[in-house]
Amino acid sequence: MDLGRIKAETVAYFRALDEGATQRHHFRHADEEGGLWYFEAVPDGGDLIVVKQAELTSGGALYRYSWEHLEDEHGFLTDQPIVPEEDPLEVTTAAEFQRVWI
């Protein structure tokens, strides 16, 4: 298995989605520890794919994931589509997402 090739294909997929998006959806989720998770998702073939994800921990640490930074020792960009009807997420605004992301 060529992990370098797989990572390059993964980065290319998420980058193309992010840079080509004409519609973006924003969600927020509070976890059991008091942390907040923020997601920016774009449509792809009937699914909502997360292209940016931020976790603001209850301790104030901020972790951000996108095609530019897929993973680190703390976590990773989710590879699961968002299903608003099933996932425990609330819709938020692009402005709120950007306040956390930047």
Side-chain angles (χ1 to χ4, degrees):
M1 184 178 341
D2 183 354
L3 294 178
R5 182 182 55 79
I6 292 169
K7 182 174 181 184
E9 288 174 358
T10 302
V11 166
Y13 169 71
F14 285 111
R15 182 177 185 175
L17 281 180
D18 187 24
E19 291 180 348
T22 57
Q23 185 180 29
R24 296 178 185 270
H25 302 267
H26 299 89
F27 302 93
R28 176 178 61 200
H29 169 72
D31 65 26
E32 311 79 45
E33 291 87 39
L36 290 173
W37 294 75
Y38 292 87
F39 303 94
E40 181 175 81
V42 301
D44 182 40
D47 289 327
L48 278 179
I49 305 298
V50 174
V51 293
K52 292 184 178 119
Q53 170 183 316
E55 178 191 2
L56 183 58
T57 69
S58 58
L62 176 63
Y63 300 95
R64 295 181 298 196
Y65 304 97
S66 70
W67 64 266
E68 296 177 281
H69 181 73
L70 288 175
E71 64 183 319
D72 57 29
E73 64 282 347
H74 181 77
F76 57 91
L77 181 66
T78 184
D79 60 356
Q80 299 300 305
I82 285 182
V83 182
E85 305 80 36
E86 298 174 13
D87 295 332
L89 302 170
E90 59 182 290
V91 174
T92 189
T93 65
E96 181 179 352
F97 178 86
Q98 286 302 322
R99 277 196 300 276
V100 174
W101 184 255
I102 298 203

